[in-house]
Amino acid sequence: MRDFILRNKGFVIGLFILAVFYLYLAHLGAYHLMDPDEGRYHEIPREMLMTGDFITPHLNGVEYFEKPVLQYWATAAIMKIFGVTEFAGRIFPALSAIGCVGLTFALGSMMFSRRTGFLAAAVLATSCLNLIVASINILDMALTFFMTGCMVSFYAFEKTAKKKYLLLFYIAMGLGVLTKGLVAIILPLGILFWYAMLTRRPRLFLQLFYLPGILAFLIVTVPWFYLVCQANPDFFYFFFVREHFLRFTTKMHDRFQPWWFFIPFVFIGMLPWTGFLFSLFSKKGIIRKSVSERSRFDIIYLLVWFFVIFVFYSISDSKLVPYIMPCWMPMAVLIAASVERFEQENSWLCHSFLINCVLCLAFVFALVGYVFMSNYLTIDEFIAEGGMLTAALFIGTLAAIIVWRKTRDFYAAAAVLCIMGFFFGLGLHDVQKQIHNNQSAYYVSQRINELNPQDSLIVNYGEFYHGTVYYTDQRVALADFKGELEFGLSHPSGEGWYYTGEELNDLWNGPKRIIIVVKDRYKDKCLSILTTPAKQTITEGAYTVLINK
């Protein structure tokens, strides 16, 4: 396998790049927006294009300050080119993921070898959680890209002492701040502080304070923050105090999970490479047996990178699975470096290859068992939606076992796993399509559009159904719920767009046609408020549409 790659290096690299772009881009327009996140992050850029206001983000017509502006700008620019489509809204996260793959190759090559860098890139590109998060229009993939850029830039500076890499470090940090806020400062600096302390080189951390870099950071970040504060005097408290300090230390967003919440997602999210994580505990593995001081520093760098992020979010009162995406790159490099160590030691350390095969096959059998036990998914539906994923894991695992037994070539087995990972990713997107469509407001919005709602008032009851704004191209009112729009609704832009139950009933019995959209779990409460029955009722999935005239 090694000889084949060396003889056809250009072809293999070209094929790999094409495979990555296909894996991350080809499917982006194949499914509808998943609420709430994708409805939100598609709608805000759309409203920017509609209003021409690129300083103050708006969602459903009201000010929305929970996140900074960079991804909104990028998505709006892409929508300007490709149109306001589901595909266009997902391009920026997907390109961010591809960028992470490239940075992984760069870091793996600098730390170990180009072969290790190539395998690390393949591991990251085909890992389950990376594929999923890259396919959703949320902010975490772009944040991961910019944080990864910080870490790779600093490592390049440490190895070369070239200040241009510190400049890149600060630019990447600034773009990260414009993507998701102060966490893009806290985490990189926290990682580098502990790295310097654990390697007993505190002066290395002090070298970070490079004036041209700090100025570059300020040039990137300050203009928008200044302009948005000028336009919105209450932005500073809401964004910096409420959405940073209070979000991290309290349960205000109802995202509390136990401290161990992320642990199972590390193992699930690294499929189909999870088993190789166990090799990191081996006495002969790369963590416990360093070949040089430089190698020891590199391993510490990767481990601190992982654990600072993992611990930071584990102790936070606000937890969502995509938060730990910046952990994925160091794990990919550690797995790739372990394969190189396997070859040196002529052994799958800690039986990691066997464990990986067992886990992949166990996942297959669990999926099949789930289908037979479920009462709402037929075999035909499972084959259509999850057949490729299941087949890829099953056939790929068996193929890797056969190749290993016949060749005893560690990289040949890893190459088979890379191919398996590619088809696993394609199958994962089939499953993801079904999940998105089941959690989308697209279908109910199409039923509303059939009612010609331009002269009607659409009301979301009990929740804000983001997709109804995007798919109906119409602002909606909220009833008995404010949620994330509470701040914006308190401004003049929100006047007349929120109703209590009593106010909704008065509106319902008035002269205007009212279209209420309500999910099943709020339906009874909504009906109990209305004193006159609906003239028309439409049911679409988990939604009910009530029309008064």
Side-chain angles (χ1 to χ4, degrees):
M1 177 62 70
R2 186 188 311 167
D3 293 338
F4 173 81
I5 293 174
L6 289 174
R7 287 196 307 269
N8 302 275
K9 187 184 297 184
F11 171 77
V12 172
I13 292 173
L15 184 63
F16 175 76
I17 292 172
L18 286 174
V20 169
F21 272 85
Y22 182 83
L23 190 57
Y24 280 86
L25 294 175
H27 65 287
L28 295 182
Y31 42 85
H32 303 303
L33 303 184
M34 181 171 64
D35 273 346
D37 293 324
E38 286 203 300
R40 177 192 308 122
Y41 295 126
H42 274 68
E43 178 60 21
I44 293 172
R46 189 179 78 92
E47 293 190 24
M48 280 187 168
L49 292 174
M50 288 172 53
T51 64
D53 185 353
F54 292 89
I55 300 300
T56 302
H58 288 81
L59 176 60
N60 194 34
V62 300
E63 293 85 348
Y64 186 82
F65 294 146
E66 290 199 8
K67 296 295 183 291
V69 77
L70 179 62
Q71 185 153 323
Y72 307 149
W73 285 345
T75 304
I78 295 169
M79 285 180 170
K80 188 71 175 177
I81 297 169
F82 293 100
V84 181
T85 63
E86 296 153 335
F87 172 80
R90 295 181 179 122
I91 289 177
F92 189 62
L95 291 178
S96 298
I98 294 171
C100 287
V101 172
L103 289 172
T104 303
F105 170 77
L107 185 64
S109 299
M110 283 190 288
M111 281 186 168
F112 300 97
S113 66
R114 289 177 66 88
R115 187 171 61 172
T116 301
F118 189 81
L119 180 57
V123 170
L124 183 71
T126 56
S127 63
C128 177
L129 189 60
N130 200 68
L131 285 162
I132 292 172
V133 176
S135 302
I136 306 172
N137 185 8
I138 55 177
L139 309 181
D140 299 275
M141 203 72 246
L143 175 67
T144 298
F145 173 66
F146 293 124
M147 283 183 55
T148 301
C150 285
M151 303 310 300
V152 174
S153 297
F154 180 81
Y155 184 81
F157 163 71
E158 184 190 356
K159 287 204 75 172
T160 66
K162 293 180 179 179
K163 295 294 181 68
K164 66 179 181 181
Y165 293 114
L166 277 185
L167 198 62
L168 289 174
F169 172 89
Y170 278 103
I171 292 172
M173 182 184 287
L175 294 172
V177 169
L178 281 182
T179 300
K180 210 172 179 184
L182 299 182
V183 70
I185 301 174
I186 295 168
L187 290 177
L189 292 184
I191 293 165
L192 296 177
F193 172 80
W194 285 110
Y195 171 62
M197 294 302 105
L198 290 172
T199 57
R200 300 180 182 180
R201 296 178 298 162
R203 293 185 63 182
L204 180 63
F205 182 73
L206 296 178
Q207 292 178 37
L208 266 178
F209 298 94
Y210 176 56
L211 184 58
I214 295 172
L215 290 175
F217 171 84
L218 295 175
I219 290 169
V220 169
T221 57
V222 167
W224 177 72
F225 282 108
Y226 172 78
L227 292 172
V228 76
C229 284
Q230 286 290 103
N232 307 274
D234 48 0
F235 170 86
F236 186 88
Y237 172 82
F238 182 87
F239 182 80
F240 288 104
V241 178
R242 187 180 185 274
E243 286 302 305
H244 281 81
F245 178 74
L246 295 179
R247 188 188 190 102
F248 182 82
T249 58
T250 70
K251 303 176 179 64
M252 58 178 287
H253 283 292
D254 195 27
R255 294 173 179 171
F256 176 77
Q257 300 290 348
W259 64 267
W260 48 264
F261 172 74
F262 292 114
I263 294 176
F265 290 104
V266 170
F267 291 97
I268 296 170
M270 278 307 297
L271 280 170
W273 302 93
T274 304
F276 295 105
L277 293 174
F278 291 90
S279 67
L280 303 178
F281 301 100
S282 170
K283 290 181 180 179
K284 297 180 180 180
I286 56 173
I287 292 177
R288 298 173 66 180
K289 183 183 176 182
S290 299
V291 296
S292 66
E293 184 177 57
R294 180 66 259 173
S295 177
R296 183 172 67 86
F297 286 173
D298 291 347
I299 299 303
I300 291 173
Y301 191 73
L302 295 170
L303 290 175
V304 172
W305 180 347
F306 173 85
F307 279 108
V308 166
I309 295 170
F310 187 84
V311 172
F312 176 84
Y313 284 118
S314 293
I315 63 177
S316 169
D317 282 326
S318 181
K319 297 182 181 71
L320 289 175
V321 176
Y323 288 177
I324 58 169
M325 276 312 306
C327 291
W328 249 240
M329 182 178 171
M331 284 197 293
V333 176
L334 287 169
I335 286 173
S338 291
V339 175
E340 192 163 294
R341 179 60 59 86
F342 298 153
E343 189 175 45
Q344 294 167 2
E345 298 291 335
N346 196 31
S347 171
W348 295 102
L349 301 175
C350 281
H351 307 289
S352 53
F353 180 66
L354 174 62
I355 293 172
N356 197 69
C357 292
V358 170
L359 289 175
C360 288
L361 293 175
F363 188 74
V364 169
F365 293 133
L367 281 176
V368 174
Y370 175 76
V371 173
F372 281 106
M373 292 177 64
S374 70
N375 55 8
Y376 60 88
L377 189 65
T378 66
I379 296 295
D380 290 343
E381 290 172 333
F382 172 72
I383 292 172
E385 295 156 11
M388 182 177 291
L389 183 150
T390 307
L393 283 179
F394 185 74
I395 296 172
T397 299
L398 294 182
I401 293 171
I402 293 169
V403 167
W404 167 245
R405 288 179 63 87
K406 287 186 174 295
T407 66
R408 297 291 167 173
D409 186 327
F410 294 91
Y411 276 90
V416 173
L417 293 177
C418 290
I419 296 170
M420 176 182 78
F422 173 78
F423 288 101
F424 169 80
L426 295 180
L428 194 64
H429 294 324
D430 290 338
V431 175
Q432 193 170 1
K433 174 182 177 181
Q434 186 65 23
I435 293 171
H436 276 246
N437 289 343
N438 283 336
Q439 297 184 29
S440 178
Y442 170 81
Y443 299 104
V444 70
S445 298
Q446 298 311 303
R447 299 295 297 274
I448 293 171
N449 288 336
E450 293 171 2
L451 301 171
N452 297 313
Q454 289 73 23
D455 297 325
S456 307
L457 177 65
I458 302 173
V459 180
N460 286 183
Y461 184 87
E463 282 185 28
F464 174 35
Y465 312 122
H466 301 68
T468 57
V469 183
Y470 181 84
Y471 285 119
T472 63
D473 192 17
Q474 189 165 328
R475 190 175 181 183
V476 305
L478 301 185
D480 269 355
F481 179 84
K482 292 183 179 180
E484 64 186 306
L485 296 187
E486 181 177 8
F487 175 78
L489 288 168
S490 67
H491 290 71
S493 59
E495 290 181 6
W497 292 95
Y498 170 76
Y499 300 94
T500 64
E502 183 178 345
E503 291 169 338
L504 177 63
N505 184 54
D506 292 340
L507 196 68
W508 178 261
N509 292 303
K512 191 176 183 65
R513 185 168 74 150
I514 307 300
I515 301 173
I516 298 177
V517 187
V518 58
K519 279 190 174 179
D520 290 344
R521 58 176 169 269
Y522 308 112
K523 181 180 175 181
D524 291 341
K525 183 180 178 182
C526 180
L527 291 174
S528 70
I529 289 169
L530 305 177
T531 55
T532 57
K535 289 291 195 298
Q536 185 179 357
T537 300
I538 299 171
T539 300
E540 182 63 53
Y543 296 91
T544 297
V545 180
L546 307 171
I547 305 103
N548 67 338
K549 298 184 185 306

